[in-house]
Amino acid sequence: MLRSVIIAAVVNVFLPVNDALSLNMTKNLKVVVSSNNYPESGLQILREHFTVIKSPNTHFGEEGAVNNMELLKYVPGASALVWITHYPITKELLDAAGPQLKMVATVSAGYNHCNVPELKARGIKLANTPNVLSSAVAEIAVGLIIGTARRFTENLENVRRGEWILDFDKGLGQDIRGSTVGIIGLGGIGQATVKRLSGFEVGKFLYTGHREKPEAKALNAEFTSLDNLLKQSDFVVLSVPLTDETRHMINSTTLGKMKKNAILINVGRGDLVDQDALYEALKNNDIYAAGLDVTTPEPLPKDHKLLSLPNLFVLPHIGSATVRTRNDMAVLAANNVVNGLTGKPLITPVLP
Ligand code: DGY
């Protein structure tokens, strides 16, 4: 017995850190999963390596402080947090977790709810789950384009009221064929949207962002300024992350630059759009329609003024909500935690 203890001690002293950690030593590390609806596929990976504490509650959405307070109970002593919610990662939460916290894995592409400067200052790694959800979100962008261009909200309401419009010249929508589609943010989701739309005989794809993207050439997408994109596009698709720079980038001024027949699609974050300005633009028919998968707040109260508009098509943030995509996100987040806590590079780092 004494001999094996001595051998283990010697082995641990001389083995490289990574190998020593993989000798089941990570089992002592506590990984906290913030919500009980995190898929089993991710849990299995985590359980192989760590002690997993899963919150017994579902935390999803942005309802705020009360539920955040509840999460404070589970985080003390955690080495990693798997964050399957948009509740903010606050200083208070990081304090409650304690100084041993090494990493946060948010099960989302967007990380605007994670206090990045604070994580950075504390040397805590951050990983997100980009790419695996690009096709699912792009499908929703295409769905919103069709739903708004062909006036699904209004038409469905008419059908429900028994008021079918059968006139040859009434209830007409807009064509995607021959249109100009402007993508604000040609990242993974923007690119996947262009790929999916390329079968629709779109006339021209424009995109804008900080810099030209090498992938744009193969997609036949032309780089331009935001102003020019807004002025030329029949469809404007928002697929940028929410940052201080992009918050309310669609406002009364930018809406004023759009064409009367333009349709705004938002699959990024609700706060990219000043919703009061959008309401006015839609009500006054300054633009043709808007399709939103994301709003502020979420959920949007059922008596919200936006929901009174026939030219708004809204979905409850279901961009990544498919069985396969949610599983892929869970697995990617879990593998990021395994890497992060065993000294390997994160697969999809925000803060390496
Ligand atoms: C994301 O991953 O950022 C999607 O919006 C789903 O939360």
Side-chain angles (χ1 to χ4, degrees):
M1 168 70 181
L2 182 63
R3 194 164 164 260
S4 55
V5 169
I6 293 169
I7 289 171
V10 170
V11 165
N12 281 342
V13 165
F14 289 105
L15 267 180
V17 176
N18 289 357
D19 296 345
L21 281 169
S22 65
L23 283 180
N24 241 355
M25 290 175 67
T26 55
K27 271 285 181 198
N28 304 331
L29 301 178
K30 177 171 151 182
V31 172
V32 172
V33 176
S34 70
S35 187
N36 71 357
N37 51 14
Y38 179 65
E40 197 51 41
S41 48
L43 282 173
Q44 263 177 22
I45 296 171
L46 293 173
R47 285 197 188 113
E48 267 170 38
H49 297 84
F50 312 110
T51 301
V52 179
I53 310 287
K54 189 174 62 156
S55 154
N57 301 309
T58 299
H59 298 280
F60 206 71
E62 292 172 352
E63 281 139 48
V66 175
N67 286 306
N68 234 4
M69 292 300 290
E70 220 234 283
L71 283 167
L72 293 180
K73 284 197 283 194
Y74 301 105
V75 298
S79 293
L81 303 179
V82 176
W83 211 245
I84 181 165
T85 160
H86 292 158
Y87 295 142
I89 302 274
T90 57
K91 284 186 190 180
E92 188 187 16
L93 188 101
L94 298 175
D95 287 343
Q100 77 300 319
L101 183 68
K102 296 272 176 310
M103 78 166 289
V104 173
T106 180
V107 193
S108 61
Y111 50 86
N112 50 293
H113 56 293
C114 306
N115 188 336
V116 175
E118 188 60 30
L119 289 170
K120 197 171 180 186
R122 295 179 189 227
I124 297 171
K125 298 172 201 212
L126 175 64
N128 64 343
T129 59
N131 312 326
V132 290
L133 47 67
S134 296
S135 35
V137 179
E139 283 165 15
I140 288 297
V142 174
L144 288 170
I145 286 175
I146 298 172
T148 46
R150 305 304 295 275
R151 304 165 67 156
F152 278 9
T153 304
E154 203 181 333
N155 280 313
L156 179 61
E157 272 161 23
N158 288 341
V159 170
R160 287 202 164 123
R161 278 200 302 267
E163 290 170 14
W164 289 50
I165 299 174
L166 297 172
D167 287 351
F168 194 68
D169 61 349
K170 296 249 164 55
L172 306 185
Q174 310 251 16
D175 281 296
I176 301 172
R177 176 173 57 116
S179 68
T180 296
V181 175
I183 308 280
I184 302 184
L186 195 71
I189 293 169
Q191 289 171 33
T193 304
V194 173
K195 276 185 201 151
R196 274 148 191 80
L197 283 176
S198 54
F200 284 74
E201 299 171 46
V202 167
K204 196 198 280 184
F205 287 108
L206 298 175
Y207 75 101
T208 194
H210 279 142
R211 64 193 73 82
E212 292 194 38
K213 295 268 180 166
E215 299 87 350
K217 202 161 179 249
L219 297 171
N220 268 329
E222 201 180 294
F223 186 66
T224 190
S225 65
L226 175 62
D227 260 27
N228 194 40
L229 181 145
L230 294 171
K231 281 181 196 147
Q232 284 200 35
S233 299
D234 302 297
F235 297 92
V236 173
V237 180
L238 282 169
S239 50
V240 270
L242 177 66
T243 62
D244 289 344
E245 188 193 348
T246 60
R247 190 178 307 277
H248 284 197
M249 70 185 300
I250 299 299
N251 50 43
S252 53
T253 310
T254 44
L255 284 162
K257 293 180 180 166
M258 288 168 66
K259 290 158 89 167
K260 276 252 173 206
N261 72 302
I263 293 179
L264 176 74
I265 303 296
N266 189 4
V267 290
R269 285 289 178 267
D271 269 341
L272 297 171
V273 177
D274 173 347
Q275 289 182 174
D276 288 333
L278 178 64
Y279 173 79
E280 289 304 319
L282 290 171
K283 190 171 66 123
N284 301 327
N285 295 315
D286 294 336
I287 64 168
Y288 188 78
L292 312 177
D293 183 43
V294 285
T295 58
T296 306
E298 289 177 4
L300 199 62
K302 64 178 193 294
D303 55 356
H304 194 285
K305 61 182 176 182
L306 275 175
L307 297 179
S308 66
L309 297 167
N311 50 354
L312 179 90
F313 189 97
V314 65
L315 293 172
H317 201 154
I318 56 164
S320 66
T322 69
V323 176
R324 177 175 170 186
T325 299
R326 288 277 160 90
N327 271 304
D328 289 350
M329 292 163 76
V331 167
L332 177 55
N335 284 326
N336 267 313
V337 171
V338 172
N339 280 16
L341 294 187
T342 57
K344 297 187 192 126
L346 299 182
I347 305 161
T348 45
V350 178
L351 294 173

